[in-house]
Amino acid sequence: MVTEGKENESDLEKELEEFLKSEELDEYDKIPVERVKLSRGVKAVFWFLRIYIALMVVLVVIGFSHVI
Amino acid sequence: MEEKINSLPAEIRLRAEDRIHINLHRQSPTLISRIELFLMLIGPGILVMVADNDAGGVITYAQTGSIFGLGFFIPFMVLMLPVAFFVQEMTVRLGAVTHRGHAEMIWKRYGKFWGSFSLGDLIIANFLTFITEFIGITIGMSVFGIPRFVSVIVFVSLVIAIQLFLRYYTWERVSLVIAAFNLVFIPLLFFLPHPSVKDILDSFATWRISGGVSSLFIYVLLANLGTTIAPWMLFFQQSAVVDKGLTKKDIKFGQRDTLIGSTIMVVVAIAIIILTGTTVYGSDANGSLGITGILQLFAKRVGSFPMELFAVGLIEAGFIAAIAISASTSWAISEAFGWKRSINLPAKDGVKFYLPSFIALVIAASVTLIPNAPLGYLNLTVQVIATIFMPAAMLFLLLLLNDRGVMGNMVNKRWQNAIGFTIIGFLITMNGLYGLSVATPTIFNHLAGVL
């Protein structure tokens, strides 16, 4: 009876291990993400977007100031 | 077994419990179990889309209908359904494959500089959007005679309590119940005295722009774009997918969830445009852009009860979006700085996670207490600012979705990239046109004269 209980518990533990593995819960926050460098072209696009954002925000503020 | 589960960190343990329930339903072949499984797995997509019909959105749609009537913006909003779905679906795949939020992915993959670039944009946009939520909440509550400062205190407290005291699954279900009130705008259509079905159908054939292309039209178009797709939505849904614990095998459910959400968002948006396009459009006071004036005219045409229901919708819209944007801010900041991050975190373990967004929430809510602020125009401006930040946010998303090192075989297909870049191009073009109209205010009048 006691042995049967231990076997059941062991089965459950095994099942839980498998479940945690299949659900990736054990390593949910541990999947490695390697750093990559952005290519020059992509960097140039982002710098363009940076300037574009700054310019557009200024224009929106000017537009907004006409209303106040 | 219990020991093993208890040994997991609190936030992972709660997620594991939720996933055990999901797994049990997945193994059961009965129809009821499958329906239950579907209901358990949906959430982030509907929430993000309904929260996107936020107070700022409701006010924008109401302003749109009252200024432009039943024309261009009805088919335009239908067009926004695939656009919103397309953009948000990418976050489902990215979250389910990487198990990381958007901010963390950018930060870890491309480094601190570009990470802070994107996080900075998000924080500014979220802060401004918080303001519009409280504009909506305070105006809606004022219909019931509640003073602004009382509304601010009550709703700031409610948002904080919901974030602090509910675990993810309960938080999501409570949020979905609040979100359901967004549908209140649809039955309101039955209160309209003479809704012109013909005019609504005609709008699809003609795409008529009342008053022609003008600076105001470009501005309102941008505001509608900004309220349909916004940076916070990308961060929110991806982090929600991660916090919910979705994996690759749940992606299909996440896609359906997003499709349902997009449909609800567009139907509600069109309902609001029809409501004010039928009742307020054409009246003398529609140029003021003020939601209070729009509500008064709406009440004059259809009665005070429908107007009160409209106000309830406005309050709900601000409330649900404040919850979602607060969560989005918390997730993004904690992901960037490597802090513990989960709605499952108990308050005592998650001070760093919760605090920054609460501070932003309190400051933004206080802005609405400034007397005589031009809240109507401020609201449209915030939506326009969202469109300015969106191209950069979308470009990061497209970069990640094309990164085989991250996505494996789940990378974007060519047609998906084509749509993505078309949306970015459209946003930049429309912003450029707006910029042109600010720099040379009469340009569209001249163009109209030439054409």
Side-chain angles (χ1 to χ4, degrees):
Chain A
M1 194 78 173
V2 175
T3 322
E4 199 180 311
K6 274 187 181 171
E7 268 176 18
N8 280 343
E9 202 170 304
S10 152
D11 282 351
L12 277 174
E13 282 204 5
K14 203 176 159 195
E15 210 171 294
L16 178 69
E17 291 285 344
E18 275 169 16
F19 171 72
L20 291 177
K21 206 174 168 190
S22 73
E23 288 284 321
E24 299 156 11
L25 282 164
D26 262 355
E27 50 184 33
Y28 200 81
D29 300 320
K30 292 174 194 156
I31 295 175
V33 177
E34 280 175 27
R35 169 90 191 270
V36 292
K37 276 199 168 179
L38 288 173
S39 69
R40 280 189 177 184
V42 175
K43 273 186 187 171
V45 172
F46 277 120
W47 274 113
F48 160 76
L49 287 172
R50 186 83 295 191
I51 296 163
Y52 148 87
I53 287 171
L55 188 72
M56 284 307 303
V57 169
V58 170
L59 287 171
V60 168
V61 171
I62 293 171
F64 189 67
S65 65
H66 288 321
V67 178
I68 298 174
Chain B
M1 177 157 168
E2 215 174 305
E3 250 176 54
K4 173 80 182 171
I5 291 181
N6 287 335
S7 69
L8 294 167
E11 69 276 15
I12 307 283
R13 177 168 47 81
L14 290 169
R15 188 184 292 152
E17 285 171 13
D18 293 341
R19 295 300 298 179
I20 287 171
H21 287 300
I22 286 168
N23 214 39
L24 289 174
H25 279 82
R26 208 191 294 277
Q27 285 165 6
S28 170
T30 66
L31 180 66
I32 291 176
S33 276
R34 292 192 68 79
I35 293 169
E36 281 175 350
L37 176 67
F38 176 69
L39 294 175
M40 286 165 101
L41 283 171
I42 59 170
I46 294 176
L47 262 185
V48 76
M49 293 298 182
V50 174
D52 187 39
N53 273 350
D54 59 347
V58 170
I59 295 171
T60 302
Y61 302 137
Q63 289 167 326
T64 302
S66 65
I67 298 167
F68 291 99
L70 308 177
F72 176 90
F73 283 98
I74 293 177
F76 178 76
M77 285 316 299
V78 174
L79 199 64
M80 286 296 101
L81 193 157
V83 170
F85 171 76
F86 170 80
V87 173
Q88 291 304 128
E89 183 274 339
M90 288 195 281
T91 67
V92 176
R93 265 185 295 144
L94 190 53
V97 170
T98 63
H99 298 174
R100 290 175 192 279
H102 202 55
E104 187 180 1
M105 280 310 299
I106 297 170
W107 208 276
K108 289 211 164 129
R109 195 69 173 159
Y110 306 123
K112 278 182 190 174
F113 179 79
W114 297 106
S116 52
F117 168 101
S118 107
L119 185 67
D121 288 356
L122 177 80
I123 290 172
I124 295 168
N126 279 9
F127 176 77
L128 292 171
T129 314
F130 266 143
I131 298 176
T132 67
E133 308 316 343
F134 279 89
I135 291 174
I137 289 172
T138 50
I139 290 174
M141 292 290 277
S142 71
V143 167
F144 303 100
I146 313 289
R148 273 191 199 183
F149 75 94
V150 175
S151 308
V152 164
I153 291 170
V154 167
F155 280 91
V156 164
S157 309
L158 280 173
V159 172
I160 290 177
I162 285 172
Q163 303 288 91
L164 272 185
F165 301 121
L166 301 181
R167 55 177 290 195
Y168 179 87
Y169 191 75
T170 323
W171 170 87
E172 188 188 85
R173 299 295 123 170
V174 168
S175 300
L176 284 171
V177 170
I178 297 168
F181 284 89
N182 204 254
L183 299 173
V184 77
F185 294 104
I186 298 170
L188 270 180
L189 291 170
F190 295 103
F191 287 95
L192 293 178
H194 305 290
S196 173
V197 178
K198 187 180 169 295
D199 283 351
I200 295 165
L201 293 176
D202 276 355
S203 68
F204 288 91
T206 61
W207 289 63
R208 185 179 62 85
I209 303 166
S210 173
V213 177
S214 61
S215 305
L216 183 62
F217 168 74
I218 301 286
Y219 202 64
V220 173
L221 180 70
L222 271 179
N224 276 277
L225 259 175
T227 192
T228 310
I229 46 172
W232 74 263
M233 296 169 68
L234 309 181
F235 288 81
F236 173 86
Q237 192 170 1
Q238 191 172 330
S239 299
V241 161
V242 174
D243 213 353
K244 193 175 170 78
L246 299 191
T247 60
K248 283 179 197 170
K249 57 189 163 198
D250 304 314
I251 287 177
K252 271 192 181 163
F253 288 95
Q255 289 168 331
R256 286 172 201 157
D257 178 31
T258 310
L259 184 62
I260 294 169
S262 315
T263 309
I264 294 172
M265 179 194 76
V266 168
V267 169
V268 170
I270 291 176
I272 298 168
I273 293 174
I274 293 173
L275 285 172
T276 57
T278 309
T279 54
V280 183
Y281 172 67
S283 65
D284 293 338
N286 67 9
S288 68
L289 297 175
I291 186 68
T292 311
I294 291 172
L295 281 176
Q296 283 165 356
L297 279 168
F298 185 67
K300 211 184 262 183
R301 296 283 168 88
V302 293
S304 58
F305 177 65
M307 189 270 277
E308 284 167 4
L309 280 183
F310 196 111
V312 168
L314 189 57
I315 297 163
E316 174 280 336
F319 186 26
I320 189 66
I323 294 169
I325 293 166
S326 172
S328 148
T329 311
S330 292
W331 274 320
I333 294 175
S334 301
E335 284 164 10
F337 294 113
W339 300 336
K340 279 187 170 187
R341 51 200 174 273
S342 175
I343 302 285
N344 283 330
L345 275 174
K348 63 179 169 53
D349 296 340
V351 176
K352 284 184 187 170
F353 174 71
Y354 294 113
L355 198 60
S357 79
F358 291 168
I359 292 171
L361 180 75
V362 170
I363 298 172
S366 309
V367 171
T368 55
L369 298 176
I370 298 170
N372 304 322
L375 298 181
Y377 203 78
L378 178 67
N379 175 66
L380 283 181
T381 303
V382 170
Q383 312 306 329
V384 171
I385 288 175
T387 66
I388 295 168
F389 288 136
M390 196 60 192
M394 262 198 77
L395 199 58
F396 277 121
L397 184 64
L398 285 170
L399 268 182
L400 289 165
L401 263 292
N402 281 285
D403 191 333
R404 279 203 181 270
V406 169
M407 295 298 292
N409 59 0
M410 303 290 282
V411 287
N412 262 2
K413 295 183 174 65
R414 274 191 185 177
W415 65 268
Q416 290 172 310
N417 287 333
I419 296 174
F421 285 110
T422 305
I423 295 170
I424 292 178
F426 185 66
L427 284 167
I428 292 177
T429 308
M430 294 315 294
N431 275 320
L433 283 176
Y434 170 70
L436 209 60
S437 74
V438 172
T440 51
T442 53
I443 188 162
F444 290 110
N445 300 345
H446 290 313
L447 279 177
V450 171
L451 297 170

